[in-house]
PDB file of all heavy atoms in Angstrom:
ATOM      1  N   ARG A 467     -55.249 -28.295 -26.817  1.00 95.00           N
ATOM      2  CA  ARG A 467     -55.129 -29.113 -25.600  1.00 95.00           C
ATOM      3  C   ARG A 467     -56.478 -29.256 -24.915  1.00 95.00           C
ATOM      4  O   ARG A 467     -57.288 -28.346 -24.928  1.00 95.00           O
ATOM      5  CB  ARG A 467     -54.154 -28.469 -24.610  1.00 95.00           C
ATOM      6  CG  ARG A 467     -52.789 -28.194 -25.173  1.00 95.00           C
ATOM      7  CD  ARG A 467     -51.980 -29.435 -25.179  1.00 95.00           C
ATOM      8  NE  ARG A 467     -50.680 -29.160 -25.763  1.00 95.00           N
ATOM      9  CZ  ARG A 467     -49.866 -30.083 -26.176  1.00 95.00           C
ATOM     10  NH1 ARG A 467     -50.197 -31.348 -26.062  1.00 95.00           N
ATOM     11  NH2 ARG A 467     -48.715 -29.774 -26.705  1.00 95.00           N
ATOM     12  N   ASP A 468     -56.677 -30.399 -24.272  1.00 95.00           N
ATOM     13  CA  ASP A 468     -57.900 -30.595 -23.493  1.00 95.00           C
ATOM     14  C   ASP A 468     -57.779 -30.014 -22.098  1.00 95.00           C
ATOM     15  O   ASP A 468     -58.788 -29.636 -21.495  1.00 95.00           O
ATOM     16  CB  ASP A 468     -58.228 -32.087 -23.370  1.00 95.00           C
ATOM     17  CG  ASP A 468     -58.956 -32.624 -24.575  1.00 95.00           C
ATOM     18  OD1 ASP A 468     -59.393 -31.830 -25.427  1.00 95.00           O
ATOM     19  OD2 ASP A 468     -59.096 -33.856 -24.670  1.00 95.00           O
ATOM     20  N   GLU A 469     -56.577 -29.973 -21.572  1.00 96.00           N
ATOM     21  CA  GLU A 469     -56.406 -29.580 -20.176  1.00 96.00           C
ATOM     22  C   GLU A 469     -55.379 -28.470 -20.022  1.00 96.00           C
ATOM     23  O   GLU A 469     -54.423 -28.373 -20.793  1.00 96.00           O
ATOM     24  CB  GLU A 469     -55.972 -30.788 -19.352  1.00 96.00           C
ATOM     25  CG  GLU A 469     -57.006 -31.897 -19.361  1.00 96.00           C
ATOM     26  CD  GLU A 469     -56.542 -33.155 -18.659  1.00 96.00           C
ATOM     27  OE1 GLU A 469     -55.324 -33.393 -18.563  1.00 96.00           O
ATOM     28  OE2 GLU A 469     -57.416 -33.911 -18.200  1.00 96.00           O
ATOM     29  N   LEU A 470     -55.606 -27.670 -19.006  1.00 96.00           N
ATOM     30  CA  LEU A 470     -54.725 -26.567 -18.672  1.00 96.00           C
ATOM     31  C   LEU A 470     -54.422 -26.672 -17.186  1.00 96.00           C
ATOM     32  O   LEU A 470     -55.325 -26.902 -16.374  1.00 96.00           O
ATOM     33  CB  LEU A 470     -55.438 -25.243 -18.965  1.00 96.00           C
ATOM     34  CG  LEU A 470     -54.680 -23.953 -18.732  1.00 96.00           C
ATOM     35  CD1 LEU A 470     -53.581 -23.784 -19.788  1.00 96.00           C
ATOM     36  CD2 LEU A 470     -55.634 -22.766 -18.795  1.00 96.00           C
ATOM     37  N   ASP A 471     -53.163 -26.535 -16.809  1.00 97.00           N
ATOM     38  CA  ASP A 471     -52.791 -26.486 -15.395  1.00 97.00           C
ATOM     39  C   ASP A 471     -52.941 -25.044 -14.921  1.00 97.00           C
ATOM     40  O   ASP A 471     -52.365 -24.125 -15.518  1.00 97.00           O
ATOM     41  CB  ASP A 471     -51.349 -26.947 -15.186  1.00 97.00           C
ATOM     42  CG  ASP A 471     -51.177 -28.437 -15.376  1.00 97.00           C
ATOM     43  OD1 ASP A 471     -52.135 -29.183 -15.128  1.00 97.00           O
ATOM     44  OD2 ASP A 471     -50.077 -28.856 -15.782  1.00 97.00           O
ATOM     45  N   VAL A 472     -53.707 -24.852 -13.861  1.00 97.00           N
ATOM     46  CA  VAL A 472     -53.963 -23.530 -13.305  1.00 97.00           C
ATOM     47  C   VAL A 472     -53.469 -23.502 -11.866  1.00 97.00           C
ATOM     48  O   VAL A 472     -53.826 -24.362 -11.063  1.00 97.00           O
ATOM     49  CB  VAL A 472     -55.471 -23.201 -13.340  1.00 97.00           C
ATOM     50  CG1 VAL A 472     -55.762 -21.905 -12.616  1.00 97.00           C
ATOM     51  CG2 VAL A 472     -55.974 -23.141 -14.763  1.00 97.00           C
ATOM     52  N   ALA A 473     -52.647 -22.503 -11.554  1.00 97.00           N
ATOM     53  CA  ALA A 473     -52.131 -22.336 -10.193  1.00 97.00           C
ATOM     54  C   ALA A 473     -52.377 -20.890  -9.761  1.00 97.00           C
ATOM     55  O   ALA A 473     -51.608 -19.996 -10.113  1.00 97.00           O
ATOM     56  CB  ALA A 473     -50.646 -22.668 -10.135  1.00 97.00           C
ATOM     57  N   PRO A 474     -53.453 -20.639  -9.028  1.00 97.00           N
ATOM     58  CA  PRO A 474     -53.703 -19.283  -8.535  1.00 97.00           C
ATOM     59  C   PRO A 474     -52.626 -18.851  -7.529  1.00 97.00           C
ATOM     60  O   PRO A 474     -52.036 -19.685  -6.841  1.00 97.00           O
ATOM     61  CB  PRO A 474     -55.056 -19.391  -7.842  1.00 97.00           C
ATOM     62  CG  PRO A 474     -55.685 -20.624  -8.391  1.00 97.00           C
ATOM     63  CD  PRO A 474     -54.552 -21.547  -8.690  1.00 97.00           C
ATOM     64  N   ARG A 475     -52.406 -17.543  -7.470  1.00 97.00           N
ATOM     65  CA  ARG A 475     -51.447 -16.983  -6.513  1.00 97.00           C
ATOM     66  C   ARG A 475     -52.160 -16.707  -5.195  1.00 97.00           C
ATOM     67  O   ARG A 475     -53.213 -16.092  -5.162  1.00 97.00           O
ATOM     68  CB  ARG A 475     -50.843 -15.698  -7.086  1.00 97.00           C
ATOM     69  CG  ARG A 475     -49.630 -15.204  -6.324  1.00 97.00           C
ATOM     70  CD  ARG A 475     -48.887 -14.117  -7.093  1.00 97.00           C
ATOM     71  NE  ARG A 475     -48.478 -14.489  -8.433  1.00 97.00           N
ATOM     72  CZ  ARG A 475     -47.446 -15.273  -8.755  1.00 97.00           C
ATOM     73  NH1 ARG A 475     -46.713 -15.796  -7.792  1.00 97.00           N
ATOM     74  NH2 ARG A 475     -47.146 -15.528 -10.014  1.00 97.00           N
ATOM     75  N   ARG A 476     -51.557 -17.208  -4.114  1.00 95.00           N
ATOM     76  CA  ARG A 476     -52.095 -16.961  -2.774  1.00 95.00           C
ATOM     77  C   ARG A 476     -51.804 -15.528  -2.344  1.00 95.00           C
ATOM     78  O   ARG A 476     -50.993 -14.835  -2.956  1.00 95.00           O
ATOM     79  CB  ARG A 476     -51.445 -17.914  -1.764  1.00 95.00           C
ATOM     80  CG  ARG A 476     -51.748 -19.368  -1.985  1.00 95.00           C
ATOM     81  CD  ARG A 476     -51.044 -20.197  -0.891  1.00 95.00           C
ATOM     82  NE  ARG A 476     -51.172 -21.605  -1.126  1.00 95.00           N
ATOM     83  CZ  ARG A 476     -50.227 -22.386  -1.658  1.00 95.00           C
ATOM     84  NH1 ARG A 476     -49.064 -21.881  -2.022  1.00 95.00           N
ATOM     85  NH2 ARG A 476     -50.445 -23.670  -1.825  1.00 95.00           N
ATOM     86  N   SER A 477     -52.405 -15.108  -1.262  1.00 91.00           N
ATOM     87  CA  SER A 477     -52.196 -13.747  -0.760  1.00 91.00           C
ATOM     88  C   SER A 477     -50.752 -13.496  -0.342  1.00 91.00           C
ATOM     89  O   SER A 477     -50.291 -12.362  -0.342  1.00 91.00           O
ATOM     90  CB  SER A 477     -53.146 -13.454   0.404  1.00 91.00           C
ATOM     91  OG  SER A 477     -52.940 -14.385   1.449  1.00 91.00           O
ATOM     92  N   ASP A 478     -49.999 -14.569  -0.004  1.00 94.00           N
ATOM     93  CA  ASP A 478     -48.588 -14.384   0.363  1.00 94.00           C
ATOM     94  C   ASP A 478     -47.666 -14.379  -0.861  1.00 94.00           C
ATOM     95  O   ASP A 478     -46.443 -14.311  -0.718  1.00 94.00           O
ATOM     96  CB  ASP A 478     -48.138 -15.452   1.362  1.00 94.00           C
ATOM     97  CG  ASP A 478     -48.103 -16.862   0.790  1.00 94.00           C
ATOM     98  OD1 ASP A 478     -48.367 -17.052  -0.424  1.00 94.00           O
ATOM     99  OD2 ASP A 478     -47.809 -17.803   1.560  1.00 94.00           O
ATOM    100  N   GLY A 479     -48.248 -14.465  -2.058  1.00 94.00           N
ATOM    101  CA  GLY A 479     -47.456 -14.401  -3.287  1.00 94.00           C
ATOM    102  C   GLY A 479     -47.042 -15.748  -3.862  1.00 94.00           C
ATOM    103  O   GLY A 479     -46.566 -15.813  -4.990  1.00 94.00           O
ATOM    104  N   THR A 480     -47.212 -16.825  -3.091  1.00 96.00           N
ATOM    105  CA  THR A 480     -46.840 -18.145  -3.598  1.00 96.00           C
ATOM    106  C   THR A 480     -47.974 -18.711  -4.447  1.00 96.00           C
ATOM    107  O   THR A 480     -49.134 -18.321  -4.311  1.00 96.00           O
ATOM    108  CB  THR A 480     -46.528 -19.129  -2.452  1.00 96.00           C
ATOM    109  OG1 THR A 480     -47.706 -19.299  -1.650  1.00 96.00           O
ATOM    110  CG2 THR A 480     -45.371 -18.616  -1.599  1.00 96.00           C
TER     111      THR A 480
END
Side-chain angles (χ1 to χ4, degrees):
R467 305 280 178 196
D468 277 350
E469 298 175 335
L470 182 71
D471 288 331
V472 173
R475 193 168 305 283
R476 296 181 186 101
S477 59
D478 67 3
T480 62

